[in-house]
Amino acid sequence: ADLSEKGPAREVLIGDLAGRQRLAIGLEGVDPREVPELVLLDRAARLGAHRVHQHQELASFARVAILRSGRFPAVAEGVATRRDALRRQVEALFARELDPLAGDERHETLSALEAVSSFEVVDQLSTHRGLTPTRVEAVVARSVIGVLSAP
């Protein structure tokens, strides 16, 4: 099926993308009530593992959605919604580190966390650099730690 073609096949593909996107929003294995007790290293590692899992499950759909978002407003809205949800995930997971920051510093730090854990970064490391899932998880976790350790 192709998103550029109208008809039932396009609707099924868009519906499948939307369902997979909803599936991707939760952070499996992390109970939000548990987050305050988890040390930064654990939270960073869990985020890396989650982003790799998402990539393994959704990469082909995400690539198509990103490519098609320039031509299809509904797809662009879905991509934006996904990105916003993933940003909120990172914000909640690292609230302890972000809450003391104010204004521009908080926004920059949250944006950096969003960037280092993005689909595009995981895709680059997995697909183009050929890193194993374990190595990608480690790179994401190390990047998160680096962002939050920066002066």
Side-chain angles (χ1 to χ4, degrees), residues 51-59 63 119 122-123 126-127:
R51 292 301 196 252
V52 167
H53 175 73
Q54 281 183 320
H55 184 268
Q56 290 170 331
E57 295 294 318
L58 304 169
R63 285 187 202 108
F119 167 81
V122 173
D123 196 47
S126 300
T127 306

Side-chain angles (χ1 to χ4, degrees), residues 10-130:
R10 179 175 184 259
E11 297 307 314
V12 167
L13 184 56
I14 288 173
D16 187 45
L17 282 171
R20 287 177 181 266
Q21 177 182 328
R22 282 189 296 277
L23 230 172
I25 290 174
L27 188 56
E28 297 86 11
V30 176
D31 180 343
R33 294 166 297 186
E34 205 178 278
V35 170
E37 285 74 43
L38 292 175
V39 297
L40 177 58
L41 294 173
D42 291 334
R43 288 179 284 136
R46 287 187 184 204
L47 179 65
H50 177 66
R51 292 301 196 252
V52 167
H53 175 73
Q54 281 183 320
H55 184 268
Q56 290 170 331
E57 295 294 318
L58 304 169
S60 59
F61 293 99
R63 285 187 202 108
V64 169
I66 290 166
L67 286 172
R68 298 294 185 172
S69 64
R71 292 187 54 210
F72 300 98
V75 175
E77 184 178 326
V79 168
T81 298
R82 175 190 151 275
R83 286 180 175 150
D84 290 344
L86 295 175
R87 181 181 174 99
R88 286 190 305 275
Q89 245 180 24
V90 169
E91 186 172 26
L93 194 58
F94 300 105
R96 192 176 348 163
E97 291 77 16
L98 292 167
D99 286 348
L101 305 177
D104 289 343
E105 184 181 12
R106 185 179 198 288
H107 179 71
E108 288 171 9
T109 302
L110 178 56
S111 295
L113 291 171
E114 178 184 19
V116 301
S117 64
S118 69
F119 167 81
E120 291 82 359
V121 167
V122 173
D123 196 47
Q124 169 76 15
L125 296 170
S126 300
T127 306
H128 302 291
R129 296 290 167 238

